[in-house]
Amino acid sequence: MAADPSVPTAGEPPEEGVSLHLLGGFRLLRDAVPVVVPRGLQRVIALIGLRPGATRSQLAGLLWPDASEERALSSLRTALWRLRQDPCCPMTMASDTVRLGTAVRLDVDDLVGTAARVRDGDDPRTAAGALAAGRHDLLPGWYDDWVLLDRERLRQLRLHMLEQVAGHHLTAGRHGEALEAALEAMAAEPLRETPHRLVVRIHLAEGNAFEAVHAFYVYRDLLRRELRLEPSPAMCALLDDTLAPIRQASRDAVTDRPSPAGRRT
């Protein structure tokens, strides 16, 4: 690996300011300077960051699933030896486990921490960056099984976090902030019903019946077009009271319309 010429040589203690970014693509930064990492070592570093408690056997099996256990462990030993020679990404090795050094900041941890604070009921306004956290997928373009699994796990974590933020804001009467969070979740997964349902509830809470009805029918049309499905009964029930007068007026209009036999010729 190579970094800025000011980076100390092997053997010198690493300085503060090492960050590993896996959301949106692999980036290793030292004091905001990108570190060049070969693709093979990127996989090792990324997996260690995502599986801090994994044993060497578990890491080797995930990284080289088609190799024998002996060969996979040999490949892992070689990779770890190479990483130990470079101070740009310090590792902590204890017994049979390997993890990133305590000085390394991982963006995935920031997302998980933000989601935990929201889940535990912290004021969503204090969860800085909740809307932007995890906006990009984990390691796009990587198709290892362990990447696909964690990518979906983090995607679901973010969706639930955004919906919780929107719900907290809605309960507190902060409709603008609630709508922003719900729309962020909607952008992340357009076919997911929960954020659409939140948008309808927010508009109704503000007294904007037209906006609520419009949001409902936009989602219904999208669902019909993409999946040939209808919104759930829970979604439809949100507008029952709002649409009841309109539906009654339509039925009355049909009832009052003269039948063809009663028309004059």
Side-chain angles (χ1 to χ4, degrees):
M1 295 186 289
D4 186 86
S6 63
V7 173
T9 58
E12 296 182 16
E15 299 177 6
E16 298 289 335
V18 180
S19 60
L20 177 59
H21 301 262
L22 304 180
L23 301 173
F26 184 98
R27 287 183 302 139
L28 182 63
L29 304 178
R30 187 174 185 278
D31 296 329
V33 178
V35 178
V36 179
V37 183
R39 180 60 183 265
L41 291 184
Q42 287 183 19
R43 295 175 66 248
V44 177
I45 295 171
L47 181 58
I48 291 173
L50 292 169
R51 300 283 198 283
T55 65
R56 296 185 186 222
S57 294
Q58 291 169 336
L59 294 173
L62 290 170
L63 289 167
W64 294 280
D66 298 326
S68 66
E69 182 178 5
E70 182 179 354
R71 185 169 182 177
L73 284 170
S74 176
S75 297
L76 179 63
R77 283 193 296 270
T78 300
L80 293 177
W81 180 86
R82 292 176 63 188
L83 290 173
R84 280 198 298 266
Q85 309 311 303
D86 197 302
C88 292
C89 188
M91 300 282 176
T92 299
M93 302 183 190
S95 183
D96 193 37
T97 60
V98 185
R99 62 181 67 232
L100 297 178
T102 56
V104 182
R105 179 176 177 179
L106 180 62
D107 61 349
V108 170
D109 290 342
D110 293 339
L111 169 59
V112 173
T114 300
R117 290 192 296 275
V118 171
R119 183 184 63 245
D120 293 342
D122 284 9
D123 185 336
R125 290 174 296 184
T126 67
L131 268 62
R135 185 171 284 166
H136 302 292
D137 282 341
L138 176 74
L139 297 169
W142 292 31
Y143 299 104
D144 305 75
D145 289 343
W146 54 272
V147 174
L148 298 176
L149 181 64
D150 271 19
R151 184 181 298 155
E152 180 60 17
R153 175 179 67 84
L154 294 173
R155 190 181 77 87
Q156 290 293 332
L157 179 71
R158 180 171 186 261
L159 286 170
H160 283 88
M161 176 187 69
L162 291 171
E163 291 163 1
Q164 288 168 343
V165 169
H168 292 332
H169 282 311
L170 176 58
T171 301
R174 297 187 292 266
H175 299 134
E177 293 93 331
L179 187 60
E180 186 178 7
L183 291 175
E184 185 75 27
M186 188 187 301
E189 182 47 81
L191 291 172
R192 183 179 173 92
E193 182 175 298
T194 313
H196 289 272
R197 199 185 305 164
L198 279 164
V199 169
V200 172
R201 289 176 55 203
I202 294 164
H203 288 314
L204 290 174
E206 290 184 297
N208 295 324
F210 168 77
E211 295 281 5
V213 172
H214 176 71
F216 172 84
Y217 282 108
V218 166
Y219 176 63
R220 189 199 66 173
D221 292 345
L222 174 66
L223 204 59
R224 285 178 171 179
R225 183 171 64 251
E226 296 296 330
L227 299 177
R228 297 184 180 180
L229 295 175
E230 292 288 337
S232 71
M235 179 77 164
C236 297
L238 290 175
L239 291 178
D240 281 349
D241 292 341
T242 301
L243 294 177
I246 300 173
R247 292 168 177 160
Q248 185 60 47
S250 299
R251 285 193 292 267
D252 292 344
V254 171
T255 302
D256 295 342
R257 186 182 304 163
S259 64
R263 290 179 183 174
R264 295 181 179 178
T265 56

